[in-house]
Amino acid sequence: MSKIVMKFGGTSIATTDKIKHVATRISKEKAAGHEIVVVVSAMGKTTDELVRLANEISENPSKREMDMLLSTGEQVTMALLAIQLNQLGHEAISLTGWQAGLQTDLVHRNARIEKLDAKNILNLLSDNKIVIVAGFQGVSADGQITTLGRGGSDTTAVAIAASIEADVCDVYTDVDGIYTSDPRFVPTARKLDELEYDEMLELANLGAGVLSPRAVEFAKNHKIPLRVRSSYNEGIGTVLKGEVDLENNLVVRGVAFEADIVRLTMEYEVPFNDSLAKIFTTLAANHINVDIIVQSIVDGKKPTVSFSIKKEWLAETITVLESNKEALGFTFADFEVGLAKVSIVGSGMVSNPGVAAQMFDRLQKESIPVKMVSTSEIKVSVVIPQDDMIRAANALHDEFGLALV
Amino acid sequence: MSKIVMKFGGTSIATTDKIKHVATRISKEKAAGHEIVVVVSAMGKTTDELVRLANEISENPSKREMDMLLSTGEQVTMALLAIQLNQLGHEAISLTGWQAGLQTDLVHRNARIEKLDAKNILNLLSDNKIVIVAGFQGVSADGQITTLGRGGSDTTAVAIAASIEADVCDVYTDVDGIYTSDPRFVPTARKLDELEYDEMLELANLGAGVLSPRAVEFAKNHKIPLRVRSSYNEGIGTVLKGEVDLENNLVVRGVAFEADIVRLTMEYEVPFNDSLAKIFTTLAANHINVDIIVQSIVDGKKPTVSFSIKKEWLAETITVLESNKEALGFTFADFEVGLAKVSIVGSGMVSNPGVAAQMFDRLQKESIPVKMVSTSEIKVSVVIPQDDMIRAANALHDEFGLALV
């Protein structure tokens, strides 16, 4: 008998028919004698619909009230799923974030888990119940409802897996597992059987979209075996673990890409002193995630700093920069939209110099201009024009031998 | 400066435009310097839609899970209303049932309020905030989400009014106030300026539909001035109080009617002993509300007992009776559908004998057969064929001089 956390995302439970299908899947695991905790997202487009309602009222609704609003989505799903599991003869019980003991900080819409008191869940499991927990939501120490932000249900699942010491955390999705690239845009992409947490972290951070980076980080830190599986078939999916054998001696394990990137550039009259730190401290304090940062100090030119963000953060970023212009000390700020990021990822890179050079070489052959570069031990990212994104991804996928043979 | 509780029902807040309208109304009261607590229901048909989803899955969903599901409805409304009030420049904050301190027993879908710890609400009011509370929902002592059943948002409003010692509790609805009868079916019905709690209680219990009887009872016990007002105009509506002058010397103050009544009849081989008590104890234990009870013991005939219930309870009532048939000691059970109840109400009746006789006389003149009768000090109810309901209501409204002059 194992303890299993099963997480189902919005597309897997978009209709009552899909909820019935998911319940049958859960029922099988229960019949195999496992203790089951299920984590659910909101049904299909529910969250979008709720955001649309709020935007009919205000362009900038209070984040606290948005959490109140959005947290209803998972509550609907979990109740319907519990009803269906009861219908199948199981004892199922649903829990909101606060009932499940998931405590967060007070950063509405982007809260972080502070602790998870699993007492309630463990008691219900020992009563032979299937426990269904609302993903994405928690409660602050002073009783405010919070949400965890993008991919929050994955994080909920992994946090529960850690706190109940689950044997595995299965994240069910509408894809078979993690692919070398997004098969919708890179036709030769193929599924990976195994992937390292760190590689997945880079892929997730780079917008591969299947798993939330916070969830992967949590799983890595707590050594939770994490599987990405399809809701629609019985395949084993992709297993995330600490170390993976070099599959087919591949140095690069995946190509990720992400559209809607904006580059902001700021110019200074005088050389940087502490202003660089000030900018990014200010942005962080406003919960704006900055991705690639490039600074340039060339003799005879004014020093500049550029950084990339997601387009959705642009308005807020500009507001923050403008209102702190004097304190931050820059004299000019510009931004370029219509950009995308393409990255290659693989833990084998660290021992293979020349991977970045090979990447740049191929992009040059494809006549794709590189606007920004960022490297880590296991990935190289470039910012390029968005119009070239898919072509670049396919070219790099081919360049590093990832194509399905 | 007064403390005011304002309650808005589903039709008053069915769309974001209506929510904006309601917010403007609240804004006016706030501008007048009052401390405001708002209680909201779910938007329009939200609850019906959630019930429909559950019924796609199960005909008999778990009541606990239905509470989880349905309690999301008010949470959506209160967040949207808070966003709109913020938009208008007010500090507004929404609270779920548990955040508002509303504790109930554990009877899911029909919970009763056990206590209301108003500390949180009072603190927020003293911070100059408009406090918006989800109606209809609470939390049990052990942390289960519950709902209060039909009309529960009214009860929430009155309970909050009592616990914060509000000066008045205004229930906003889509009608101008309480009418002598339902103007949709009785064209000569007119609005009453004042009504006694007890009269309203009888009208509410008889299905007048504007206010929940539990709310009226609560208001009566705690002497909360309760006003029924229109969301769409500034009229003062109908004020409920302890004693009202006989308006135009009317003995009968209102005519109420309710469709979808079922009469169940049980026959016994032997005279009743304790079986009568047993039946109604058993039904009460299953939370089935029985309305009129008539027993008949005639020499030479087998003893019978008849009682009326709402049609929606029929399936459950039959299940309960069948599964307890032996213990309850009856030998035959039958039921008649297609019935309705029509009632006349007025606290003046107690000192005016002959009101019931006048009612029966008029019904006989109209050739409307009376199937069951029930009387109290301030009302007389008859069960008649549903097809005759509207005609009976109009006839009695005319008979007792209630028509608009």
Side-chain angles (χ1 to χ4, degrees):
Chain A
M1 195 184 74
S2 304
K3 272 187 206 155
I4 300 181
V5 175
M6 305 173 76
K7 184 260 169 180
F8 294 92
T11 51
S12 304
I13 45 177
T15 63
T16 48
D17 278 343
K18 286 190 167 188
I19 287 174
K20 287 177 189 175
H21 174 78
V22 158
T24 306
R25 186 92 190 217
I26 295 164
S27 190
K28 271 187 201 163
E29 298 285 357
K30 180 68 180 164
H34 302 305
E35 292 186 328
I36 314 273
V37 178
V38 182
V39 174
V40 291
S41 302
M43 288 169 76
K45 299 285 172 201
T46 306
T47 304
D48 293 347
E49 175 60 17
L50 291 170
V51 170
R52 190 188 62 73
L53 278 178
N55 286 339
E56 279 182 17
I57 290 175
S58 169
E59 283 175 16
N60 188 23
S62 138
K63 288 182 177 174
R64 178 192 185 277
E65 299 301 334
M66 285 306 288
D67 278 355
M68 278 294 196
L69 186 65
L70 298 182
S71 63
T72 61
E74 299 78 39
Q75 197 169 325
V76 168
T77 324
M78 72 185 192
L80 293 175
L81 181 57
I83 289 167
Q84 175 62 12
L85 284 166
N86 288 336
Q87 189 82 348
L88 297 178
H90 297 287
E91 281 192 78
I93 186 164
S94 70
L95 301 176
T96 61
W98 62 270
Q99 288 175 325
L102 195 147
Q103 187 185 309
T104 72
D105 62 20
L106 238 183
V107 182
H108 284 294
R109 296 211 69 178
N110 206 17
R112 287 196 166 256
I113 297 174
E114 283 181 345
K115 63 179 178 185
L116 203 159
D117 177 357
K119 197 173 65 228
N120 200 2
I121 295 176
L122 289 170
N123 282 341
L124 291 165
L125 285 178
S126 66
D127 281 351
N128 198 35
K129 293 205 165 49
I130 297 174
V131 182
I132 306 166
V133 179
F136 180 68
Q137 60 177 256
V139 69
S140 68
D142 70 337
Q144 308 292 322
I145 291 176
T146 55
T147 65
L148 306 179
R150 197 179 281 261
S153 293
D154 291 346
T155 313
T156 302
V158 178
I160 288 173
S163 69
I164 67 168
E165 299 181 346
D167 297 280
V168 67
C169 179
D170 284 339
V171 173
Y172 288 86
T173 173
D174 52 355
V175 297
D176 291 342
I178 307 297
Y179 276 66
T180 53
S181 196
D182 187 335
R184 288 173 301 175
F185 303 102
V186 180
T188 56
R190 63 186 167 78
K191 187 180 80 73
L192 295 159
D193 293 334
E194 295 185 331
L195 196 65
E196 292 176 14
Y197 293 123
D198 285 336
E199 292 173 326
M200 185 66 226
L201 257 181
E202 292 290 3
L203 287 169
N205 269 317
L206 296 167
V210 176
L211 267 182
S212 133
R214 277 160 74 178
V216 178
E217 202 176 344
F218 210 105
K220 180 191 167 194
N221 292 340
H222 294 265
K223 299 194 171 54
I224 312 288
L226 195 57
R227 285 190 294 203
V228 177
R229 307 176 71 176
S230 166
S231 313
Y232 310 115
N233 65 51
E234 307 271 333
I236 199 63
T238 301
V239 182
L240 301 190
K241 41 167 80 168
E243 261 184 49
V244 170
D245 289 338
L246 268 192
E247 203 175 333
N248 305 324
N249 294 318
L250 287 179
V251 172
V252 172
R253 195 110 53 186
V255 176
F257 47 91
E258 182 180 359
D260 292 329
I261 300 294
V262 178
R263 178 174 67 167
L264 288 101
T265 304
M266 287 134 93
E267 202 173 80
Y268 291 80
E269 292 294 336
V270 292
F272 304 112
N273 36 40
D274 60 344
S275 57
L276 200 59
K278 268 192 200 156
I279 290 173
F280 297 107
T281 308
T282 305
L283 292 173
N286 286 278
H287 303 286
I288 294 165
N289 288 319
V290 169
D291 186 14
I292 300 178
I293 300 172
V294 177
Q295 56 166 299
S296 160
I297 307 183
V298 179
D299 280 348
K301 286 194 176 178
K302 287 180 182 167
T304 61
V305 60
S306 296
F307 60 91
S308 69
I309 54 166
K310 292 187 183 182
K311 198 169 79 179
E312 64 192 88
W313 294 101
L314 181 59
E316 198 165 341
T317 303
I318 289 176
T319 307
V320 168
L321 290 178
E322 284 296 326
S323 61
N324 292 281
K325 199 167 179 175
E326 203 161 336
L328 298 178
F330 65 89
T331 54
F332 175 77
D334 194 14
F335 61 88
E336 179 177 7
V337 295
L339 300 178
K341 186 168 63 164
V342 177
S343 309
I344 55 173
V345 173
S347 64
M349 278 187 205
V350 62
S351 52
N352 279 269
V355 172
Q358 189 179 349
M359 182 186 194
F360 302 146
D361 190 50
R362 179 64 185 253
L363 290 172
Q364 194 179 15
K365 278 184 186 142
E366 303 283 340
S367 305
I368 295 170
V370 174
K371 305 265 183 173
M372 297 176 93
V373 176
S374 161
T375 59
S376 80
E377 298 206 328
I378 66 167
K379 73 129 207 238
V380 183
S381 296
V382 293
V383 173
I384 60 172
Q386 185 157 325
D387 290 345
D388 295 325
M389 179 178 77
I390 304 301
R391 200 160 54 85
N394 277 281
L396 295 172
H397 196 262
D398 169 69
E399 179 69 28
F400 292 102
L402 292 173
L404 191 61
V405 268
Chain B
M1 193 184 75
S2 306
K3 272 185 206 157
I4 300 182
V5 175
M6 305 174 75
K7 184 261 169 178
F8 294 93
T11 52
S12 303
I13 45 176
T15 62
T16 49
D17 279 341
K18 287 190 166 190
I19 286 174
K20 287 177 188 174
H21 174 78
V22 159
T24 306
R25 186 91 190 216
I26 295 164
S27 191
K28 270 187 201 164
E29 298 283 358
K30 180 68 181 165
H34 303 304
E35 293 186 326
I36 314 273
V37 178
V38 182
V39 174
V40 291
S41 303
M43 289 169 76
K45 299 285 172 199
T46 307
T47 304
D48 292 348
E49 176 60 17
L50 291 171
V51 169
R52 191 188 62 73
L53 277 179
N55 286 339
E56 280 181 16
I57 290 174
S58 168
E59 284 175 14
N60 188 25
S62 139
K63 288 181 177 175
R64 179 192 185 277
E65 298 302 333
M66 284 307 287
D67 277 355
M68 279 295 196
L69 186 65
L70 299 182
S71 62
T72 62
E74 299 79 38
Q75 197 170 324
V76 168
T77 323
M78 71 186 194
L80 293 175
L81 181 57
I83 289 167
Q84 174 63 11
L85 284 166
N86 289 337
Q87 188 82 347
L88 296 178
H90 298 287
E91 282 192 77
I93 187 165
S94 70
L95 301 176
T96 61
W98 62 270
Q99 289 175 326
L102 196 148
Q103 187 185 310
T104 72
D105 62 19
L106 237 183
V107 181
H108 283 294
R109 295 211 71 178
N110 206 18
R112 287 193 166 259
I113 297 174
E114 282 180 347
K115 63 178 178 188
L116 202 158
D117 178 356
K119 196 173 64 231
N120 201 3
I121 294 176
L122 289 170
N123 282 341
L124 292 165
L125 285 178
S126 66
D127 281 352
N128 197 34
K129 292 204 164 55
I130 298 175
V131 181
I132 307 166
V133 180
F136 181 67
Q137 60 178 255
V139 67
S140 68
D142 70 337
Q144 308 293 321
I145 291 176
T146 55
T147 66
L148 305 180
R150 196 180 282 261
S153 293
D154 292 345
T155 313
T156 301
V158 177
I160 289 173
S163 69
I164 66 168
E165 299 181 346
D167 297 280
V168 66
C169 179
D170 284 338
V171 173
Y172 288 85
T173 171
D174 52 355
V175 297
D176 291 341
I178 307 295
Y179 276 66
T180 52
S181 197
D182 187 335
R184 290 173 299 175
F185 302 103
V186 179
T188 57
R190 64 186 166 78
K191 185 181 81 72
L192 294 159
D193 292 334
E194 295 185 330
L195 196 65
E196 293 176 14
Y197 293 124
D198 284 336
E199 292 173 327
M200 185 68 227
L201 258 182
E202 292 289 4
L203 287 169
N205 269 317
L206 295 168
V210 177
L211 268 181
S212 133
R214 278 160 73 178
V216 178
E217 204 176 343
F218 209 105
K220 180 191 168 194
N221 292 340
H222 294 265
K223 297 195 172 52
I224 312 289
L226 195 57
R227 285 191 294 203
V228 177
R229 306 177 73 177
S230 167
S231 313
Y232 309 115
N233 65 51
E234 306 271 333
I236 199 65
T238 301
V239 181
L240 300 191
K241 40 166 80 167
E243 259 183 49
V244 169
D245 288 337
L246 268 192
E247 204 175 333
N248 304 324
N249 293 318
L250 288 179
V251 173
V252 172
R253 195 109 52 187
V255 176
F257 46 90
E258 182 180 1
D260 292 330
I261 301 293
V262 177
R263 178 173 65 167
L264 289 101
T265 304
M266 287 133 93
E267 201 174 79
Y268 291 80
E269 293 294 335
V270 292
F272 303 111
N273 35 41
D274 62 343
S275 55
L276 201 59
K278 267 191 199 159
I279 289 174
F280 297 107
T281 308
T282 304
L283 292 174
N286 286 277
H287 303 287
I288 294 165
N289 287 319
V290 170
D291 186 14
I292 301 178
I293 301 172
V294 177
Q295 57 165 297
S296 162
I297 306 183
V298 180
D299 279 348
K301 285 194 174 176
K302 286 180 181 167
T304 62
V305 58
S306 296
F307 60 90
S308 70
I309 55 167
K310 292 186 181 182
K311 197 168 81 179
E312 65 192 87
W313 293 101
L314 181 59
E316 199 164 342
T317 304
I318 289 175
T319 307
V320 168
L321 290 177
E322 284 296 325
S323 61
N324 293 282
K325 200 165 180 177
E326 205 161 335
L328 298 178
F330 64 89
T331 55
F332 173 77
D334 195 13
F335 61 89
E336 180 176 5
V337 297
L339 300 177
K341 186 167 65 163
V342 177
S343 309
I344 55 174
V345 174
S347 64
M349 276 187 205
V350 62
S351 52
N352 279 270
V355 172
Q358 190 180 347
M359 180 186 196
F360 301 146
D361 190 49
R362 180 65 184 254
L363 291 173
Q364 195 179 16
K365 276 184 186 139
E366 303 283 339
S367 304
I368 296 171
V370 174
K371 304 266 183 172
M372 296 174 93
V373 176
S374 160
T375 60
S376 81
E377 298 205 328
I378 67 167
K379 72 128 208 238
V380 183
S381 297
V382 293
V383 173
I384 60 172
Q386 185 157 325
D387 290 346
D388 295 325
M389 178 177 79
I390 303 301
R391 198 159 56 84
N394 277 283
L396 294 173
H397 195 261
D398 168 70
E399 179 69 28
F400 291 103
L402 293 173
L404 190 62
V405 268

